Amino acid sequence: MSKTIYYLGAGASYGKRDESKNILEGLPVVSEIPQEFDAFYDFIKTVKIPEKDYIVYWRLYKKTPADVTRERDQLLQDINDLKAAIKEHATIDTYARKLYLTGKSRQFSKLKDVLCAFFFWEQFQHKSDNRYDTFLANVLLAETLSLPKEISIISWNYDSQIESAYWAYTQEKVLPLFEKNTSGKWHQLTEEGRIIKVNGSAVFSDGMIIPYITGDAETPIELQLIESYSNTHVDTSEMGFQFKTHLSFAWEHSENSQKMKDTIKATVEDTEQIVVVGYSFPFFNRETDREIFRNMKSLKKVYIQDPNPKAVRLSLEAVLPDNSSVEIVELSDCTQFYLPKEL
Protein backbone atom coordinates (compact mmCIF):
# COMPACT_ATOMS: atom_id res chain seq x y z
CA MET A 1 0.00 0.00 0.00
CA SER A 2 2.40 2.73 1.21
CA LYS A 3 5.31 3.69 -1.02
CA THR A 4 7.24 5.19 1.92
CA ILE A 5 7.62 3.61 5.35
CA TYR A 6 9.05 5.36 8.39
CA TYR A 7 10.75 2.69 10.50
CA LEU A 8 11.15 4.04 14.03
CA GLY A 9 13.29 3.05 16.99
CA ALA A 10 14.02 4.61 20.37
CA GLY A 11 16.20 7.32 18.83
CA ALA A 12 13.12 8.73 17.10
CA SER A 13 11.81 9.83 20.51
CA TYR A 14 15.12 11.12 21.89
CA GLY A 15 14.14 14.81 21.82
CA LYS A 16 16.50 17.31 23.42
CA ARG A 17 18.81 17.55 26.45
CA ASP A 18 20.23 20.56 28.27
CA GLU A 19 23.94 21.09 28.96
CA SER A 20 23.69 18.86 32.03
CA LYS A 21 22.08 16.07 29.99
CA ASN A 22 18.69 16.55 31.63
CA ILE A 23 15.73 15.68 29.41
CA LEU A 24 13.99 18.75 27.97
CA GLU A 25 11.74 16.88 25.55
CA GLY A 26 11.35 13.32 24.40
CA LEU A 27 12.14 10.12 26.27
CA PRO A 28 15.19 8.40 27.75
CA VAL A 29 17.33 6.08 25.67
CA VAL A 30 18.88 2.86 27.02
CA SER A 31 21.79 4.57 28.79
CA GLU A 32 19.44 6.95 30.61
CA ILE A 33 16.88 4.39 31.79
CA PRO A 34 18.50 3.47 35.16
CA GLN A 35 18.73 7.06 36.43
CA GLU A 36 15.21 7.81 35.16
CA PHE A 37 13.85 4.81 37.06
CA ASP A 38 15.55 6.16 40.20
CA ALA A 39 13.76 9.47 39.65
CA PHE A 40 10.46 7.68 39.04
CA TYR A 41 10.83 5.75 42.29
CA ASP A 42 11.59 8.96 44.22
CA PHE A 43 8.56 10.65 42.66
CA ILE A 44 6.15 7.89 43.70
CA LYS A 45 7.74 7.69 47.16
CA THR A 46 7.02 11.37 47.84
CA VAL A 47 3.38 11.28 46.66
CA LYS A 48 1.17 12.82 49.33
CA ILE A 49 -1.91 10.81 50.29
CA PRO A 50 -4.74 13.24 51.22
CA GLU A 51 -5.93 13.05 54.82
CA LYS A 52 -9.64 12.74 54.19
CA ASP A 53 -12.29 10.03 54.41
CA TYR A 54 -11.94 8.89 50.81
CA ILE A 55 -10.51 9.76 47.38
CA VAL A 56 -12.80 9.80 44.32
CA TYR A 57 -11.53 8.39 41.00
CA TRP A 58 -13.00 9.52 37.67
CA ARG A 59 -16.35 10.20 39.42
CA LEU A 60 -16.90 6.43 39.44
CA TYR A 61 -15.72 5.07 42.77
CA LYS A 62 -13.74 5.94 45.86
CA LYS A 63 -10.88 4.59 47.95
CA THR A 64 -9.74 5.25 51.50
CA PRO A 65 -6.30 6.78 52.17
CA ALA A 66 -5.24 3.42 53.66
CA ASP A 67 -6.16 1.67 50.39
CA VAL A 68 -4.20 4.20 48.33
CA THR A 69 -1.19 3.91 50.63
CA ARG A 70 -1.13 0.14 50.13
CA GLU A 71 -1.36 0.61 46.36
CA ARG A 72 1.49 3.13 46.39
CA ASP A 73 3.67 0.81 48.50
CA GLN A 74 3.04 -2.07 46.08
CA LEU A 75 4.00 0.09 43.10
CA LEU A 76 7.17 1.17 44.92
CA GLN A 77 8.09 -2.46 45.57
CA ASP A 78 7.49 -3.40 41.94
CA ILE A 79 9.56 -0.43 40.69
CA ASN A 80 12.36 -1.40 43.07
CA ASP A 81 12.35 -4.99 41.83
CA LEU A 82 12.60 -3.83 38.21
CA LYS A 83 15.34 -1.33 39.06
CA ALA A 84 17.44 -4.16 40.49
CA ALA A 85 16.87 -6.31 37.40
CA ILE A 86 17.75 -3.45 35.04
CA LYS A 87 21.20 -3.18 36.61
CA GLU A 88 21.87 -6.86 35.82
CA HIS A 89 20.81 -6.80 32.15
CA ALA A 90 21.85 -4.87 29.06
CA THR A 91 18.36 -3.49 28.40
CA ILE A 92 14.81 -3.80 29.72
CA ASP A 93 13.88 -5.64 26.52
CA THR A 94 16.64 -8.19 27.21
CA TYR A 95 15.27 -8.81 30.70
CA ALA A 96 11.71 -9.03 29.35
CA ARG A 97 12.70 -11.67 26.81
CA LYS A 98 14.57 -13.63 29.48
CA LEU A 99 11.45 -13.73 31.66
CA TYR A 100 9.34 -14.76 28.66
CA LEU A 101 11.71 -17.56 27.62
CA THR A 102 11.96 -18.94 31.16
CA GLY A 103 8.20 -18.98 31.66
CA LYS A 104 8.12 -16.45 34.50
CA SER A 105 4.74 -15.10 33.41
CA ARG A 106 3.88 -13.27 36.62
CA GLN A 107 7.15 -11.31 36.64
CA PHE A 108 6.81 -10.72 32.90
CA SER A 109 3.32 -9.25 33.31
CA LYS A 110 4.46 -7.09 36.20
CA LEU A 111 7.39 -5.77 34.15
CA LYS A 112 4.99 -4.62 31.43
CA ASP A 113 2.68 -2.98 33.96
CA VAL A 114 5.56 -1.08 35.58
CA LEU A 115 6.76 0.04 32.14
CA CYS A 116 3.31 1.46 31.42
CA ALA A 117 3.38 3.47 34.64
CA PHE A 118 6.94 4.60 33.95
CA PHE A 119 6.24 5.78 30.41
CA PHE A 120 3.13 7.63 31.49
CA TRP A 121 5.19 9.47 34.09
CA GLU A 122 7.98 10.23 31.61
CA GLN A 123 5.55 11.57 29.00
CA PHE A 124 3.76 13.69 31.55
CA GLN A 125 7.06 15.08 32.85
CA HIS A 126 8.47 16.04 29.44
CA LYS A 127 7.13 17.43 26.19
CA SER A 128 6.96 15.13 23.20
CA ASP A 129 9.91 15.09 20.83
CA ASN A 130 9.15 18.14 18.68
CA ARG A 131 10.19 16.32 15.50
CA TYR A 132 6.87 14.42 15.57
CA ASP A 133 4.93 17.68 15.47
CA THR A 134 7.02 18.97 12.55
CA PHE A 135 6.63 15.68 10.71
CA LEU A 136 2.83 15.68 11.12
CA ALA A 137 2.61 19.32 10.03
CA ASN A 138 4.42 18.37 6.84
CA VAL A 139 2.57 15.20 5.89
CA LEU A 140 -1.01 15.33 7.25
CA LEU A 141 -3.72 15.87 4.68
CA ALA A 142 -5.44 19.22 5.23
CA GLU A 143 -8.96 17.96 4.49
CA THR A 144 -8.96 14.96 6.82
CA LEU A 145 -5.93 15.39 9.11
CA SER A 146 -4.95 11.85 8.18
CA LEU A 147 -1.74 10.34 6.88
CA PRO A 148 -1.70 10.07 3.07
CA LYS A 149 -1.93 6.58 1.61
CA GLU A 150 1.69 6.87 0.44
CA ILE A 151 3.10 7.14 3.98
CA SER A 152 2.83 4.67 6.86
CA ILE A 153 4.80 4.21 10.07
CA ILE A 154 6.17 1.01 11.57
CA SER A 155 7.38 1.70 15.08
CA TRP A 156 9.32 -0.49 17.48
CA ASN A 157 8.68 2.08 20.21
CA TYR A 158 6.05 1.52 22.88
CA ASP A 159 5.77 5.18 23.80
CA SER A 160 2.89 7.47 22.78
CA GLN A 161 4.94 10.33 21.35
CA ILE A 162 3.30 10.43 17.94
CA GLU A 163 -0.18 10.03 19.43
CA SER A 164 0.50 12.92 21.83
CA ALA A 165 1.73 15.09 18.97
CA TYR A 166 -1.37 14.27 16.93
CA TRP A 167 -3.62 15.20 19.88
CA ALA A 168 -2.60 18.83 19.33
CA TYR A 169 -4.12 18.70 15.82
CA THR A 170 -7.48 17.18 16.70
CA GLN A 171 -9.24 15.40 19.56
CA GLU A 172 -12.07 14.26 17.30
CA LYS A 173 -10.24 11.38 15.61
CA VAL A 174 -7.18 9.19 15.97
CA LEU A 175 -4.73 7.95 13.40
CA PRO A 176 -5.23 4.29 12.35
CA LEU A 177 -3.20 2.45 14.98
CA PHE A 178 -2.51 -1.28 14.92
CA GLU A 179 -1.12 -3.20 17.89
CA LYS A 180 -1.52 -6.80 19.05
CA ASN A 181 -3.11 -6.17 22.46
CA THR A 182 -5.92 -3.96 21.24
CA SER A 183 -9.37 -4.78 22.63
CA GLY A 184 -12.40 -5.59 20.50
CA LYS A 185 -12.39 -6.05 16.74
CA TRP A 186 -9.27 -5.59 14.62
CA HIS A 187 -9.35 -2.26 12.80
CA GLN A 188 -10.48 -2.32 9.20
CA LEU A 189 -7.74 -1.53 6.69
CA THR A 190 -8.54 1.71 4.88
CA GLU A 191 -6.81 3.75 2.20
CA GLU A 192 -5.24 6.06 4.80
CA GLY A 193 -1.63 5.77 5.93
CA ARG A 194 -1.42 3.84 9.17
CA ILE A 195 0.73 3.36 12.28
CA ILE A 196 1.82 -0.14 13.20
CA LYS A 197 3.37 -0.57 16.65
CA VAL A 198 5.29 -3.82 16.58
CA ASN A 199 5.77 -3.89 20.36
CA GLY A 200 2.38 -2.42 21.18
CA SER A 201 1.93 0.60 23.43
CA ALA A 202 2.88 1.20 27.06
CA VAL A 203 -0.62 2.35 28.00
CA PHE A 204 -3.28 1.06 30.40
CA SER A 205 -6.37 1.47 28.23
CA ASP A 206 -7.60 1.59 24.63
CA GLY A 207 -7.60 5.38 24.72
CA MET A 208 -4.60 7.63 25.24
CA ILE A 209 -4.03 7.53 29.00
CA ILE A 210 -2.56 11.04 29.28
CA PRO A 211 -5.64 13.03 28.17
CA TYR A 212 -7.81 10.49 30.01
CA ILE A 213 -6.08 11.14 33.31
CA THR A 214 -5.56 14.87 32.84
CA GLY A 215 -9.29 15.17 32.12
CA ASP A 216 -10.03 14.52 35.81
CA ALA A 217 -9.14 17.77 37.54
CA GLU A 218 -10.45 16.68 40.95
CA THR A 219 -7.87 14.02 41.74
CA PRO A 220 -4.10 14.64 41.53
CA ILE A 221 -2.50 13.01 38.53
CA GLU A 222 0.00 11.07 40.62
CA LEU A 223 -2.85 9.41 42.54
CA GLN A 224 -4.59 8.51 39.29
CA LEU A 225 -1.36 6.95 38.03
CA ILE A 226 -1.08 4.78 41.15
CA GLU A 227 -4.72 3.76 40.83
CA SER A 228 -4.37 2.97 37.11
CA TYR A 229 -1.44 0.71 37.89
CA SER A 230 -3.37 -1.04 40.65
CA ASN A 231 -6.35 -1.53 38.34
CA THR A 232 -4.32 -3.58 35.88
CA HIS A 233 -4.49 -6.39 38.46
CA VAL A 234 -8.28 -6.35 39.01
CA ASP A 235 -11.41 -6.66 36.85
CA THR A 236 -12.95 -3.21 36.31
CA SER A 237 -15.02 -4.15 33.25
CA GLU A 238 -18.29 -3.56 35.14
CA MET A 239 -17.38 0.12 35.28
CA GLY A 240 -17.33 0.29 31.48
CA PHE A 241 -13.56 0.07 30.97
CA GLN A 242 -10.68 -2.26 31.67
CA PHE A 243 -7.17 -1.17 32.48
CA LYS A 244 -4.67 -3.54 30.91
CA THR A 245 -1.32 -3.13 29.29
CA HIS A 246 -1.23 -2.80 25.51
CA LEU A 247 2.45 -3.64 25.56
CA SER A 248 3.08 -6.84 23.59
CA PHE A 249 6.60 -7.50 22.34
CA ALA A 250 7.07 -8.60 18.73
CA TRP A 251 8.42 -12.00 19.83
CA GLU A 252 5.52 -12.52 22.25
CA HIS A 253 2.58 -14.63 21.02
CA SER A 254 -0.86 -13.04 21.00
CA GLU A 255 -4.25 -14.00 19.61
CA ASN A 256 -3.75 -11.11 17.17
CA SER A 257 -0.24 -12.13 16.05
CA GLN A 258 -1.36 -13.35 12.63
CA LYS A 259 -3.56 -10.29 12.10
CA MET A 260 -0.57 -8.11 12.88
CA LYS A 261 1.56 -9.98 10.33
CA ASP A 262 -1.17 -9.71 7.70
CA THR A 263 -1.54 -5.97 8.37
CA ILE A 264 2.20 -5.37 8.03
CA LYS A 265 2.33 -7.37 4.81
CA ALA A 266 -0.58 -5.43 3.29
CA THR A 267 1.06 -2.16 4.30
CA VAL A 268 4.56 -2.80 2.90
CA GLU A 269 3.95 -4.89 -0.22
CA ASP A 270 4.27 -1.79 -2.45
CA THR A 271 6.94 -0.01 -0.41
CA GLU A 272 9.78 1.46 -2.44
CA GLN A 273 11.70 3.43 0.20
CA ILE A 274 12.16 3.30 3.96
CA VAL A 275 13.36 6.01 6.32
CA VAL A 276 14.92 4.31 9.36
CA VAL A 277 15.00 6.73 12.30
CA GLY A 278 16.85 5.90 15.51
CA TYR A 279 16.58 2.12 15.16
CA SER A 280 19.59 -0.17 15.54
CA PHE A 281 18.16 -3.53 14.32
CA PRO A 282 18.99 -5.47 17.52
CA PHE A 283 19.55 -9.21 17.17
CA PHE A 284 16.46 -10.45 19.03
CA ASN A 285 14.25 -8.41 16.68
CA ARG A 286 16.02 -9.82 13.63
CA GLU A 287 13.48 -12.51 12.80
CA THR A 288 10.64 -9.96 12.72
CA ASP A 289 12.75 -7.40 10.82
CA ARG A 290 13.66 -10.00 8.20
CA GLU A 291 10.03 -11.00 7.73
CA ILE A 292 8.99 -7.36 7.29
CA PHE A 293 11.75 -6.66 4.76
CA ARG A 294 11.01 -9.89 2.84
CA ASN A 295 7.50 -8.59 2.23
CA MET A 296 8.87 -5.44 0.60
CA LYS A 297 9.12 -6.87 -2.90
CA SER A 298 9.50 -3.42 -4.52
CA LEU A 299 12.03 -1.93 -2.08
CA LYS A 300 14.61 0.25 -3.84
CA LYS A 301 16.16 2.49 -1.20
CA VAL A 302 16.72 2.68 2.56
CA TYR A 303 17.59 5.96 4.27
CA ILE A 304 19.34 5.51 7.63
CA GLN A 305 18.89 8.57 9.84
CA ASP A 306 21.07 8.17 12.91
CA PRO A 307 24.02 9.96 14.58
CA ASN A 308 26.10 6.90 13.63
CA PRO A 309 24.51 5.54 10.43
CA LYS A 310 27.49 3.34 9.50
CA ALA A 311 26.98 1.21 12.62
CA VAL A 312 23.28 0.83 11.83
CA ARG A 313 24.08 -0.10 8.23
CA LEU A 314 25.91 -3.27 9.28
CA SER A 315 22.89 -4.46 11.24
CA LEU A 316 20.49 -3.45 8.47
CA GLU A 317 22.40 -5.52 5.93
CA ALA A 318 21.83 -8.58 8.13
CA VAL A 319 18.05 -8.33 7.65
CA LEU A 320 17.99 -7.56 3.92
CA PRO A 321 17.48 -10.49 1.52
CA ASP A 322 20.76 -12.08 0.32
CA ASN A 323 20.24 -11.01 -3.28
CA SER A 324 19.18 -7.48 -2.37
CA SER A 325 20.32 -4.59 -4.56
CA VAL A 326 18.74 -1.95 -2.34
CA GLU A 327 20.51 1.41 -2.26
CA ILE A 328 21.43 2.55 1.27
CA VAL A 329 21.74 6.26 2.04
CA GLU A 330 23.38 7.34 5.31
CA LEU A 331 22.11 10.50 7.06
CA SER A 332 23.72 11.76 10.27
CA ASP A 333 21.66 14.95 10.58
CA CYS A 334 18.80 14.07 12.95
CA THR A 335 17.40 17.58 13.44
CA GLN A 336 14.08 16.60 11.80
CA PHE A 337 12.67 13.37 10.39
CA TYR A 338 13.97 13.15 6.85
CA LEU A 339 11.50 13.75 4.03
CA PRO A 340 12.91 11.89 0.99
CA LYS A 341 12.74 13.37 -2.50
CA GLU A 342 10.42 10.54 -3.53
CA LEU A 343 7.57 12.01 -1.47
Side-chain angles (χ1 to χ4, degrees), residues 89-108:
H89 298 83
T91 67
I92 290 179
D93 288 26
T94 302
Y95 178 53
R97 184 158 172 79
K98 181 178 180 180
L99 293 176
Y100 183 75
L101 291 173
T102 55
K104 296 179 179 178
S105 57
R106 186 171 178 274
Q107 291 170 264
F108 182 58

Side-chain angles (χ1 to χ4, degrees), residues 240-263:
F241 61 89
Q242 179 63 53
F243 284 100
K244 70 166 188 175
T245 176
H246 280 224
L247 185 57
S248 180
F249 294 98
W251 35 260
E252 180 184 354
H253 180 71
S254 161
E255 63 181 19
N256 289 324
S257 291
Q258 189 58 49
K259 292 178 181 177
M260 174 64 86
K261 291 180 180 180
D262 292 343
T263 299

Side-chain angles (χ1 to χ4, degrees), residues 15-184:
K16 296 178 181 177
R17 307 294 185 265
D18 63 18
E19 293 180 355
S20 300
K21 302 299 183 182
N22 297 310
I23 298 174
L24 297 177
E25 64 179 53
L27 294 171
V29 292
V30 171
S31 62
E32 298 170 312
I33 289 289
Q35 67 184 39
E36 288 298 305
F37 256 97
D38 287 341
F40 179 44
Y41 180 89
D42 292 341
F43 172 82
I44 297 298
K45 187 176 182 179
T46 57
V47 168
K48 302 294 183 183
I49 310 297
E51 296 181 359
K52 53 185 180 180
D53 293 339
Y54 55 81
I55 301 162
V56 177
Y57 289 98
W58 307 296
R59 301 185 181 89
L60 293 173
Y61 63 93
K62 55 191 177 183
K63 291 280 186 77
T64 67
D67 291 333
V68 178
T69 299
R70 282 193 293 272
E71 292 174 352
R72 180 191 63 185
D73 291 346
Q74 182 61 60
L75 176 54
L76 284 171
Q77 180 61 55
D78 294 345
I79 295 171
N80 213 36
D81 290 345
L82 186 52
K83 280 175 55 184
I86 288 172
K87 294 177 181 178
E88 298 176 2
H89 298 83
T91 67
I92 290 179
D93 288 26
T94 302
Y95 178 53
R97 184 158 172 79
K98 181 178 180 180
L99 293 176
Y100 183 75
L101 291 173
T102 55
K104 296 179 179 178
S105 57
R106 186 171 178 274
Q107 291 170 264
F108 182 58
S109 295
K110 188 173 290 187
L111 174 147
K112 293 196 289 185
D113 293 341
V114 173
L115 279 179
C116 286
F118 173 72
F119 273 95
F120 166 79
W121 175 74
E122 283 286 347
Q123 291 175 114
F124 183 74
Q125 292 285 106
H126 311 295
K127 297 189 300 182
S128 297
D129 188 320
N130 193 56
R131 292 177 296 174
Y132 286 106
D133 178 61
T134 304
F135 174 72
L136 291 175
N138 279 313
V139 303
L140 289 179
L141 297 174
E143 301 83 3
T144 60
L145 292 178
S146 59
L147 288 172
K149 176 183 177 180
E150 294 77 15
I151 298 175
S152 286
I153 297 168
I154 296 178
S155 177
W156 281 93
N157 297 336
Y158 30 79
D159 61 54
S160 299
Q161 293 280 285
I162 194 163
E163 296 96 315
S164 295
Y166 187 69
W167 185 258
Y169 287 84
T170 177
Q171 293 86 53
E172 297 178 0
K173 65 173 291 184
V174 294
L175 294 170
L177 178 64
F178 294 85
E179 55 188 15
K180 288 189 298 180
N181 265 12
T182 189
S183 298

Side-chain angles (χ1 to χ4, degrees), residues 7-13 157 276-280 304-307 312 334:
Y7 211 73
L8 308 183
S13 296
N157 297 336
V276 178
V277 185
Y279 181 60
S280 61
I304 302 174
Q305 188 172 23
D306 191 272
V312 177
C334 301

